[in-house]
Amino acid sequence: MRSHLLNDTTAERYRRTVTEGVERVAAKLATTDRPFTGVTVDALSPHIEKIDLDQPLHDTAAVLDELEDVYLRDAIYFHHPRYLAHLNCPVVIPAVLGEAVLSAVNSSLDTWDQSAGGTLIERKLIDWTNERIGFGPAADGVFTSGGSQSNLQALLLAREEAKTDDTAKLRIFASEVSHFSVKKSAKLLGLGRDAVVTIPVDADKRMQTMALARELERCRHDGLVPMAVVATSGTTDFGSIDPLPEIAELCAQYDTWMHVDAAYGCGLLVSLKRRALLNGIERADSVTVDYHKSFFQPVSSSAVLVRDKATLRHATYHAEYLNPRRMVTERIPNQVDKSLQTTRRFDALKLWMTLRTMGADGIGQLFDEVCDLAEEGWRLLAADPRYDVVVEPRLSTLVYRYIPEAVTDPAEIDRANLYARKALFASGDAVVAGTKVGGRHYLKFTLLNPETTAEDITAVLDLIAGHAEQYLGESLDRVAS
Ligand SMILES: *Cc1c(COP(=O)(O)O)cnc(C)c1O
């Protein structure tokens, strides 16, 4: 069994085993002709259920054969140009190399004595990101597991910096299309049920700052305390960007923490054409970025950044066995002092390898390409009488719905769109997402694959129309019979 431990004597086995696995995946990537096989839960479950975990196979090739059956064959492949659904990106090769290195070395980023160079690499990437944001020299931050954790940590700091200890009085302001992790965070932070005040959006799905101003004033008038305003820079559903300069102004006026949730829009930090869309972000107190969304990094890769490093002390606890207080005066950098996690992956290495190989412009160019494609997709949809499209994209998201000529019942149109999405998924020809707008079912493309073309978009729109028409035809038959 010791031959399975990775060490000096097994280096050759490691090389062989990983190469075997890499070859399977490479072959898979080269031959996937659809983003999905369309397998159902009921069809796939028995393959996994029948495996006896107490009966190991003892052979890599056999385990990989089995993996084909339980995972690789039916996985959803984000690298396929017709995967157009959620905020998942195809990944860049330097980052995948980083992933392989970091798990083999297995550094843990909590303390210097478990990561050494890793700690400094992470800190340099945090500084680099802060410079892109436009924060000053007092800025800091830490890598996290994802945007949800980053938002939680940012709001924790905001709560600790708030002007009252009475958590029942605290209020967070976020738009109606902000991410649900804001509400989840409020719950985890022990705030009241009414803690998150929802601010309406304008026709472009951007927070209405007039409404925000009114709610902040009402909050103060009611003797409550504004704890934070969450501005979303790239809403999950629409890619819309809240007006950062106006929000920053209001935060200053009401002495309130400004958090920018740029989980999606952070790709703009490296964009060659669209960086100005983030103007005002430098006035935030904290920022969430998800490199695993718009920097083409494998999950997980995310960070929370703060304008003033002193605020990170709210996440600091000392343990004698790990990070005793004296280490602070000895200036030994222990990242655990800034993190909600203890043992923590060296995810930063993936971004490091990416920047050292491709450079920031390389990533920015890829993100610009998908934003350009969304603009083209918008023109296609706007010109297509079969479809209603919601907002002109700022980033790379398109929300639309099929509107059959002959049908006026909105509930029937909802059902046709829902049916089309499910039928498309079951066919595996393409994967699209869905959402609700004004209570009605819409479909969504999140374009994060630079390999996707306008022809792909056209083809998928034709497939959707075909499925929707099929549903409506059958529906007519049902009525007739
Ligand atoms: C995806 C997303 C999140 C959550 O990030 P995870 O990495 O999935 O935890 C938060 N905010 C916005 C705007 C997002 O799009």
Side-chain angles (χ1 to χ4, degrees), residues 17-76:
T17 307
V18 173
T19 305
E20 236 178 300
V22 167
E23 267 163 15
R24 297 276 182 133
V25 176
K28 196 84 220 168
L29 294 174
T31 55
T32 329
D33 59 354
R34 290 179 297 168
F36 182 41
T37 60
V39 73
T40 62
V41 180
D42 286 344
L44 190 54
S45 303
H47 291 271
I48 291 158
E49 267 162 30
K50 74 172 187 232
I51 287 168
D52 183 351
L53 291 176
D54 295 317
Q55 296 290 331
L57 299 170
H58 296 297
D59 173 66
T60 305
V63 172
L64 286 169
D65 287 344
E66 182 185 272
L67 193 68
E68 172 69 21
D69 199 33
V70 298
Y71 177 58
L72 291 176
R73 187 187 55 226
D74 297 302
I76 314 268

Side-chain angles (χ1 to χ4, degrees), residues 167-205:
T167 49
K169 286 194 169 165
L170 296 174
R171 292 292 178 273
I172 299 169
F173 303 82
S175 96
E176 56 182 308
V177 289
S178 62
H179 194 262
F180 67 40
S181 56
V182 174
K183 285 192 174 140
K184 243 191 228 189
S185 299
K187 189 171 199 174
L188 284 163
L189 292 169
L191 308 186
R193 276 180 193 284
D194 306 322
V196 180
V197 179
T198 302
I199 309 295
V201 292
D202 63 16
D204 291 328
K205 307 292 177 192

Side-chain angles (χ1 to χ4, degrees), residues 87 146-149 151 179 181 232 234 236 261 263-264 290 292-293:
L87 273 165
S148 303
Q149 191 191 340
N151 284 348
H179 194 262
S181 56
T232 313
T236 317
D261 179 357
Y264 177 14
D290 260 357
H292 63 216
K293 281 180 179 163

Side-chain angles (χ1 to χ4, degrees), residues 223-236:
L224 302 171
V225 180
M227 177 188 119
V229 176
V230 177
T232 313
S233 279
T235 59
T236 317

